[in-house]
Amino acid sequence: MNKQLDRISAMHKNSEEGRKQREKESAEWSRNMRQIFRDVENREQNRMNDYLTKHKDVLDKGRETVRKEQNKTYFS
């Protein structure tokens, strides 16, 4: 009877340790995935900013052309 209780106790302890280990691994995986996601977002934001900086003159010229066209009155 005592051996059975010891075995049950050991099984319970092992399953509890396994659960804690899985929770720890899951939390670590979640942190890693969030970090990867932030890295990708930052990389894409930097690419976009680099593009806008590189082509600022052309973009400003396009905005000015659009503004001029919008200010025209065709049927006044």
Side-chain angles (χ1 to χ4, degrees):
M1 180 80 170
N2 213 9
K3 284 185 178 183
Q4 281 182 317
L5 290 176
D6 289 343
R7 285 182 190 159
I8 291 171
S9 177
M11 285 174 43
H12 183 268
K13 182 180 175 186
N14 288 340
S15 66
E16 186 67 19
E17 288 173 358
R19 183 189 61 78
K20 287 179 182 178
Q21 181 64 29
R22 286 188 302 279
E23 286 177 355
K24 181 181 172 184
E25 289 170 355
S26 178
E28 184 177 344
W29 183 83
S30 294
R31 281 191 303 275
N32 289 341
M33 290 304 294
R34 283 192 298 273
Q35 183 61 46
I36 290 168
F37 184 74
R38 281 191 300 270
D39 290 347
V40 168
E41 282 185 322
N42 290 338
R43 184 172 48 239
E44 291 302 312
Q45 184 67 42
N46 290 339
R47 268 191 198 159
M48 184 180 67
N49 290 340
D50 291 345
Y51 179 86
L52 292 175
T53 299
K54 182 178 179 181
H55 300 288
K56 183 182 183 324
D57 294 337
V58 175
L59 292 169
D60 288 344
K61 186 176 178 181
R63 284 189 195 104
E64 181 63 22
T65 301
V66 168
R67 188 187 61 74
K68 285 179 183 177
E69 287 296 316
Q70 288 174 340
N71 285 338
K72 287 183 180 179
T73 55
Y74 291 99
F75 303 105
S76 44

